[in-house]
Amino acid sequence: MADPVRTLGAAVKLISDSGSPSHDSSITHVTGKSEYVDDRPMLKGELHCGLVYSPHAHARVVRLDTAPALKIPGVICAVTASDVSHNVWGSIFQDQPIIAADETHYVGEVVAVVGAETKEALAKGIAAVIVVWEKLADIRTISAAIAAKSFIGSLRTISTGDAEGALATAPHSVNGTLEIGGADHFYLESQAVVVYPKEDGQLEVHSSTQHPTETQHVVAEACGLRFSDVVCIAKRLGGAFGGKESQASPIAAYAALIAKRSGRPARLVLSKDEDMIITGKRNPFQIEYRCGFDANGKILALDAMLHSDGGAYADLSTAIMERALLHCDNAYSIANMRVRGQVCRTHFHPHTAFRGFGGPKGVAMIESIIEDIARVVGRDALDVRMLNCYRQTQDITHYGQRVENNHLPALFASLEDRCEYRKRREEIRAWNAARTRDSNAPVRGLSLTAVKFGISFTTRFLNQGNALVNVHRDGTVQVSTGAVEMGQGVNSRIASIVAQQFGLPVSSVRMMPTSTEKNANTSPTAASTGTDINGAAAAKACESICSRLAALAIQLRSIPAELWATKTAGLGTMPEIIVGDGVGPNGTDDQRVEFAGGHVTVTVRSGAVFSIGFAELVRDAYRNRISLSDYGYYATPNLGFDKVTGQGRAFLYFTQGVAASEVELDRHTGEVKVRRVNILMDLGRPVNYALDMGQVMGGFVQGMGWLTTEHLVYDSNGKLISHSPSTYKIPNVQDTPRVFNADLIFNESNTEAVRGSKASGEPPLLLSISVWTAIRDAIMSARANSFAGKAQLVPLAIPATAERVLRGLSPESFAIWDAQESSGVY
């Protein structure tokens, strides 16, 4: 079969600025010179901060006394709820105390903050704080929350067609429950902040946060200050993945309260154990579904009820649920569909954003359903996927948005050919059949899934950004935006955009730390929109500066060089050049201006050419009092999603891709080996090919961890006990696919985002669902071979741990063992 799409693998330099410039911090990372929050030198008098928090899932604070701590030499101060000026916060609902007062609702909820001169004194001070607790009844499962009607927010419904009616008449149906566990962000840099008191009561906050504006606001409110009295700066983050979108804000407030009380700098850096115990995770989900389809596997109706565990407070869980509902279709057109979602309130740490937000939950559901449909109708799952895939005549989602620039059918067909799917399917079928009676032989599975990930915040007002661009007289540029660099390379991408606008090498562009005094009221760096929003704002600022420089270059063309301002301004002998409207960054119809190769070239209609060095033009602009700075603002256009009706244009565009994964399962240990992965994605015209490929492959591996090994385990009191690398298994090099191929397609038709690019941050993670569906394929194949080909629809919770894999392969044995354990008879 002919490959229906061209790929970028051999044409990197055609679509990447300056041949894919490296990450802006790559050298400093490798040499150990990159500065993170806790790398800032300790100042004289600076205090270390520590937290006193609840050891119970739900408890009443009977007595809290910090006085004994203050008697410890070196302990300077302590703050409690009574010291907080505005003791409630929340990104969507204001429902969470910064410091709990009378009652705590999860293990890790803070009741006091201690500041001390040394870490040793701090440890003694924390231990000296007296807290008397009264344990209260708690809710720690989604089922218990449903029974108690313990909910956050209201029930959400998004629907199209008549799901109930179509289900009633569908020739075939499947139904089931999908259990999806949470996951820890496991960023290498834990939550960290340093706060410096400044004159006149001001605070300077250096925080490891994805959302400097929210951190600024929460700190100001907690300390009783105006927003303008607090500056939040985020130079870089050592990872975040959503875990620092909202939850960095109260961490900053704790240190700020100590700094305000003491008048001394204050530093709070959580250990990995503290961080994992205190902070929220990816929301666990429980999904119940019914799906009707015809004999070919065409989906006729889908009805699903999604419940999520939001933890003790709202955080971002309602928005996460909304995105889960919006992605329940994934790549597939379903005429009759109803999806409902309800966030449950439990006594766990408030769960929060995680790469993919709620999208992976909806996608996991529909991809699992398709695997079941294929088993029931006796077709290959890929054929069922291609049958249901969005196409030109079936391109309206269940929330009423058209799937534009749709490459899904071509992506499916191309990867099928590239990865030799049909050949490998037959080889795997033969492999499994030959080893049916060999209990020592591993079993293999293969699955090819898709992603159609919507890019935009679904809360419309968050889709805005700004940028400050300063051009200096040596021809170099400083750029400040609201985007936070957390390893993903957003600074490198924006630097490439700015460099291209001015025709300069990327080395001439310096990205500045993100600071709320330069870029106010910014949105979090999240939802894969960092480059889209902030890069577009920077491009607009550049266009304004280029327009003025172009107008100056056009005038300089007809003025003798000895009369330019660089020669005469000091003496004031020549009139200034005044530039006005009417000239764009590319000049006029009669006089075209190009910024390239460090020069600015004017080409007139007659063919005459005038060229001047960029730095020389900038110096002349300065002497003509022409502004060399500009502030660009960008608001994402054409968004119109109505949250009340659940209908409208929720996203600016969709990032699309497909992945085929092959796995091998050990029948004795349940170990999963990923033998081979092939990925093909549409990322438009990448701003930086190398960084995008890093996002594709890195996001995929991170998703594999969530789907297979990253199991959160809590004790009987609600405390996380898998809170370190020794007990929480993230992917290592041995877990990566033995063969790992990834490529991007040519897509010149995307015009929605800056420079025709598409977001690459979150979508690749969802492609790792193909590993989980391949595991299910292997288990169901083994079961079918054992039961004379009869369809075996084996449920498999996420993560598919070794134990769960073994239970899927041999549920009868585990049923006997479980019965023996419950009865106490072995």
Side-chain angles (χ1 to χ4, degrees):
M1 178 172 60
D3 194 339
V5 297
R6 294 184 298 155
T7 55
L8 296 175
V12 174
K13 293 184 184 294
L14 295 178
I15 48 80
S16 297
D17 180 65
S18 302
S20 288
S22 62
H23 192 290
D24 68 316
S25 299
S26 57
I27 301 299
T28 55
H29 284 353
V30 171
T31 58
K33 295 179 181 179
S34 293
E35 181 184 276
Y36 296 90
V37 170
D38 199 30
D39 292 324
R40 300 184 66 81
M42 291 285 293
L43 298 185
K44 182 178 181 179
E46 185 171 318
L47 301 180
H48 297 277
C49 300
L51 307 176
V52 179
Y53 56 80
S54 173
H56 305 294
H58 188 201
R60 181 175 292 110
V61 182
V62 178
R63 180 185 173 209
L64 173 61
D65 188 0
T66 60
L70 300 178
K71 297 177 182 178
I72 304 293
V75 175
I76 302 303
C77 63
V79 296
T80 62
S82 61
D83 299 300
V84 185
S85 294
H86 181 73
N87 196 18
V88 64
W89 77 284
S91 297
I92 300 175
F93 304 118
Q94 300 279 307
D95 69 338
Q96 182 171 356
I98 293 172
I99 299 179
D102 303 320
E103 195 172 306
T104 60
H105 296 269
Y106 64 95
V107 173
E109 185 160 14
V110 174
V111 295
V113 187
V114 178
E117 292 177 322
T118 66
K119 292 183 179 180
E120 292 75 16
L122 178 63
K124 293 178 181 178
I126 291 173
V129 174
I130 297 173
V131 191
V132 178
W133 306 95
E134 178 190 351
K135 290 182 64 175
L136 302 174
D138 57 57
I139 296 172
R140 286 189 280 118
T141 66
I142 291 176
S143 297
I146 295 171
K149 293 183 169 53
S150 177
F151 299 133
I152 298 172
S154 58
L155 175 70
R156 292 290 303 276
T157 301
I158 299 177
S159 64
T160 186
D162 178 11
E164 284 285 356
L167 277 166
T169 59
H172 303 277
S173 67
V174 293
N175 60 78
T177 300
L178 174 58
E179 301 283 348
I180 303 178
D184 188 78
H185 303 83
F186 215 89
Y187 28 70
L188 293 181
E189 178 198 29
S190 294
Q191 301 277 0
V193 61
V194 181
V195 180
Y196 302 109
K198 312 297 277 189
E199 65 179 23
D200 197 25
Q202 299 174 67
L203 295 176
E204 181 177 291
V205 180
H206 291 259
S207 172
S208 184
T209 175
Q210 292 175 243
H211 198 347
T213 292
E214 183 176 65
T215 298
Q216 171 200 21
H217 293 175
V218 171
V219 165
E221 291 176 338
C223 294
L225 300 173
R226 301 173 301 177
F227 293 167
S228 57
D229 292 327
V230 178
V231 173
C232 181
I233 300 169
K235 181 175 178 62
R236 64 166 59 85
L237 280 57
F241 309 115
K244 298 175 182 177
E245 180 175 345
S246 59
Q247 301 205 355
S249 297
I251 300 295
Y254 301 145
L257 288 163
I258 293 292
K260 182 190 176 189
R261 166 65 67 85
S262 65
R264 297 162 67 165
R267 180 182 305 242
L268 174 57
V269 181
L270 299 186
S271 68
K272 177 55 69 178
D273 299 273
E274 291 173 324
D275 192 302
M276 292 185 72
I277 290 169
I278 292 171
T279 60
K281 316 302 176 192
R282 184 186 290 279
N283 296 72
F285 268 63
Q286 179 177 296
I287 304 175
E288 297 175 349
Y289 59 84
R290 297 181 297 155
C291 184
F293 48 95
D294 67 17
N296 291 319
K298 176 65 177 176
I299 297 176
L300 305 175
L302 173 63
D303 186 24
M305 180 69 212
L306 287 69
H307 285 98
S308 72
D309 183 343
Y313 301 107
D315 200 272
L316 294 164
S317 290
T318 53
I320 291 165
M321 174 59 76
E322 179 179 76
R323 187 170 281 266
L325 297 176
L326 292 171
H327 284 76
C328 284
D329 61 328
N330 194 28
Y332 312 108
S333 175
I334 304 173
N336 301 287
M337 184 172 177
R338 181 180 68 169
V339 288
R340 294 171 292 164
Q342 177 67 66
V343 179
C344 297
R345 190 185 299 276
T346 64
H347 290 102
F348 285 115
H349 25 218
H351 295 305
T352 191
F354 200 141
R355 193 174 192 171
F357 222 51
K361 319 303 174 47
V363 172
M365 177 195 70
I366 188 62
E367 294 293 351
S368 178
I369 288 172
I370 286 181
E371 294 287 328
D372 287 349
I373 291 173
R375 292 280 166 182
V376 171
V377 301
R379 299 189 67 188
D380 191 279
L382 176 57
D383 294 324
V384 176
R385 289 185 167 94
M386 296 178 76
L387 173 67
N388 288 283
C389 183
Y390 276 110
R391 299 183 184 278
Q392 189 171 359
T393 56
Q394 296 175 316
D395 62 353
I396 305 298
T397 66
H398 57 298
Y399 47 93
Q401 178 170 348
R402 186 177 299 279
V403 181
E404 299 169 329
N405 197 23
N406 179 17
H407 290 270
L408 287 165
L411 287 166
F412 268 122
S414 181
L415 192 64
E416 174 191 353
D417 182 56
R418 288 164 174 270
C419 76
E420 299 180 299
Y421 179 88
R422 304 294 176 178
K423 175 184 175 183
R424 290 165 61 203
R425 171 60 74 195
E426 289 305 316
E427 291 173 349
I428 289 171
R429 184 177 289 112
W431 170 280
N432 290 337
R435 286 156 180 79
T436 299
R437 294 175 179 81
D438 183 357
S439 61
N440 294 313
V443 61
R444 292 177 180 175
L446 175 65
S447 185
L448 197 162
T449 67
V451 65
K452 173 186 65 66
F453 195 84
I455 305 298
S456 291
F457 291 99
T458 54
T459 299
R460 183 164 40 187
F461 66 77
L462 292 176
N463 294 286
Q464 58 177 310
N466 55 65
L468 173 64
V469 177
N470 295 320
V471 179
H472 294 277
R473 281 181 281 166
D474 62 352
T476 61
V477 184
Q478 287 179 330
V479 183
S480 302
T481 77
V484 176
E485 175 57 55
M486 45 194 173
Q488 82 281 38
V490 67
N491 279 350
S492 296
R493 289 181 171 87
I494 295 175
S496 292
I497 292 168
V498 170
Q500 185 191 53
Q501 291 284 132
F502 289 127
L504 298 173
V506 175
S507 58
S508 294
V509 180
R510 170 71 66 183
M511 298 300 299
M512 307 305 293
T514 307
S515 173
T516 56
E517 68 176 334
K518 295 185 180 69
N519 301 97
N521 304 313
T522 57
S523 297
T525 302
S528 302
T529 63
T531 300
D532 285 6
I533 291 175
N534 297 281
K540 285 196 168 190
C542 294
E543 288 171 2
S544 297
I545 297 171
C546 285
S547 293
R548 295 192 289 271
L549 291 176
L552 175 62
I554 287 172
Q555 295 199 46
L556 290 180
R557 187 183 69 82
S558 57
I559 299 174
E562 61 271 16
L563 299 181
W564 291 356
T566 47
K567 307 294 194 301
T568 63
L571 301 174
T573 57
M574 293 297 293
E576 289 181 311
I577 296 176
I578 306 299
V579 298
D581 298 332
V583 178
N586 298 316
T588 66
D589 291 341
D590 293 327
Q591 301 187 75
R592 305 301 295 168
V593 178
E594 180 183 14
F595 293 78
H599 286 76
V600 182
T601 303
V602 180
T603 304
V604 300
R605 192 181 293 272
S606 65
V609 176
F610 165 77
S611 182
I612 181 173
F614 180 82
E616 186 179 2
L617 180 62
V618 164
R619 287 191 288 272
D620 210 83
Y622 168 75
R623 287 174 172 80
N624 277 291
R625 296 193 292 180
I626 296 171
S627 173
L628 294 168
S629 299
D630 219 294
Y631 174 91
Y633 174 80
Y634 174 79
T636 306
N638 305 319
L639 297 178
F641 179 64
D642 187 327
K643 290 176 177 285
V644 176
T645 63
Q647 295 293 304
R649 187 182 176 97
F651 306 111
L652 182 63
Y653 63 87
F654 297 98
T655 293
Q656 304 158 33
V658 289
S661 295
E662 181 180 338
V663 301
E664 183 173 279
L665 315 183
D666 188 300
R667 292 178 187 245
H668 291 293
T669 66
E671 180 186 9
V672 175
K673 291 183 179 180
V674 183
R675 290 171 46 80
R676 176 175 168 181
V677 169
N678 290 79
I679 298 174
L680 187 60
M681 294 202 73
D682 165 25
L683 296 183
R685 298 174 61 247
V687 172
N688 187 307
Y689 177 89
L691 288 177
D692 277 350
M693 290 301 290
Q695 290 288 83
V696 169
M697 302 179 86
F700 187 94
V701 172
Q702 184 179 43
M704 282 173 48
W706 162 59
L707 290 157
T708 59
T709 62
E710 296 185 33
H711 192 196
L712 297 169
V713 181
Y714 296 83
D715 67 13
S716 59
N717 200 35
K719 178 183 177 181
L720 181 71
I721 57 177
S722 55
H723 56 74
S724 69
S726 62
T727 53
Y728 186 77
K729 177 66 172 66
I730 64 171
N732 63 26
V733 68
Q734 296 299 324
D735 298 308
T736 57
R738 272 52 176 176
V739 177
F740 201 178
N741 300 315
D743 208 346
L744 309 180
I745 69 168
F746 276 99
N747 180 4
E748 300 289 344
S749 60
N750 182 55
T751 59
E752 298 290 355
V754 60
R755 282 182 57 181
S757 63
K758 282 191 174 186
S760 62
E762 295 173 288
L765 183 140
L766 285 77
L767 289 175
S768 61
I769 289 171
S770 61
V771 171
W772 174 67
T773 52
I775 296 171
R776 285 201 72 212
D777 176 67
I779 292 172
M780 291 193 290
S781 294
R783 300 288 293 167
N785 285 330
S786 299
F787 287 84
K790 184 178 179 181
Q792 295 284 307
L793 304 184
V794 181
L796 182 63
I798 294 173
T801 60
E803 178 181 337
R804 286 171 174 166
V805 169
L806 289 175
R807 284 180 177 272
L809 288 169
S810 184
E812 298 84 6
S813 297
F814 276 89
I816 295 171
W817 298 332
D818 289 342
Q820 291 174 339
E821 181 180 7
S822 62
S823 65
V825 178
Y826 295 93

